[in-house]
Structures are given as structure tokens and as C-alpha cells.
């Protein structure tokens, strides 16, 4: 099952790349901005509760899909690009085993524990 989920995430990641290819931006913007959603980890500088909240905001698929659909509706390529980057980043994280965070620890995710136990 774990392999199937990773394959699904890989497929979604490549789909995001194909969506990006239809936008009027140079290809190098995609890899440069792919890690920007990790800015949500800054909440962990204060405490784990705020950290989990801010991390999950930047890593929640509903927010990414809403952003992408808003960009499509408004025909705004910048908003579309933002949604694509969010979706691609989420898939990339899930491929690596990172999930949405629980409030007790950065290492406790909805996909299980990550890092040193």
C-alpha cells in the first residue's frame, strides 16, 4: 500500500509539472520555488502548536486546490502557479514520507513518525 501511495504522489507531482509547463513562465521557476511552502515551518520557532498549524496551512491539499482553481477562474497565471507549486510541494513531501503535523511534535505526522524515534 505504501508503494501505491508513493506512486500516486509521483503521478500528481508530474501532473503539476505538466500544468506548470502550460503557464508563461521559464522552467527554472518551478524548482526554485518548489520549497517555498516550507516557510510554514517557521511557526515551530515559537511552539509546536503554532508550528503544526502554520505547517499544515501550507501543506493542505484543499488550500492548494482552492488556490489553483481560483487562479483558473480569474485567469491569473500567478495564482495558478501558486496553486501548482503548493500541490507539487505537498506531493514531493508525501513522496519523502512527510505528512501533516500533529501538535505534540514535528516528527508526529498523519503518515506516521519521521526522523529519529
Amino acid at each position: 500500500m505504501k508503494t501505491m501511495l508513493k506512486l500516486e504522489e509521483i503521478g500528481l507531482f508530474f501532473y503539476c509539472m505538466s500544468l506548470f509547463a502550460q503557464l508563461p513562465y521559464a522552467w527554472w521557476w518551478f524548482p526554485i520555488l518548489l520549497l517555498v511552502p516550507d516557510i510554514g515551518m517557521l511557526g515551530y520557532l515559537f511552539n509546536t502548536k503554532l508550528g503544526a498549524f502554520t505547517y499544515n496551512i501550507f501543506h493542505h491539499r484543499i488550500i492548494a486546490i482552492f488556490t489553483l482553481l481560483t487562479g483558473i477562474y480569474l485567469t491569473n497565471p500567478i495564482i495558478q502557479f501558486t496553486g501548482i507549486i503548493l500541490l507539487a510541494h505537498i506531493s514531493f513531501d508525501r513522496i519523502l514520507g512527510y505528512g501533516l503535523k500533529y501538535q505534540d511534535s514535528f516528527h508526529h505526522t498523519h503518515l506516521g513518525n519521521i526522523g529519529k524515534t
Side-chain angles (χ1 to χ4, degrees):
M1 182 57 114
K2 203 171 196 179
T3 302
M4 184 64 78
L5 291 174
K6 284 189 180 202
L7 288 173
E8 186 177 81
E9 296 299 341
I10 290 169
L12 184 55
F13 183 80
F14 282 112
Y15 180 64
C16 289
M17 287 176 52
S18 71
L19 288 175
F20 169 76
Q22 297 176 31
L23 295 176
Y25 301 112
W27 68 268
W28 48 267
W29 280 112
F30 188 85
I32 286 176
L33 297 177
L34 185 62
L35 297 179
V36 167
D38 278 337
I39 196 168
M41 286 191 287
L42 290 177
Y44 281 101
L45 294 173
F46 299 98
N47 60 51
T48 57
K49 186 175 180 179
L50 179 62
F53 177 78
T54 57
Y55 181 91
N56 291 341
I57 288 292
F58 283 91
H59 291 80
H60 201 287
R61 280 222 172 95
I62 294 297
I63 293 171
I65 291 169
F66 179 77
T67 303
L68 176 58
L69 292 177
T70 300
I72 291 169
Y73 178 76
L74 298 175
T75 61
N76 184 319
I78 293 173
I79 298 173
Q80 291 175 28
F81 180 54
T82 303
I84 291 168
I85 284 293
L86 286 170
L87 277 174
H89 177 84
I90 292 165
S91 290
F92 187 71
D93 273 4
R94 299 298 185 335
I95 291 166
L96 298 176
Y98 298 107
L100 297 173
K101 308 297 184 198
Y102 287 102
Q103 295 179 358
D104 61 341
S105 167
F106 177 81
H107 302 287
H108 187 196
T109 77
H110 83 285
L111 297 175
N113 289 323
I114 57 172
K116 295 180 181 179
T117 53

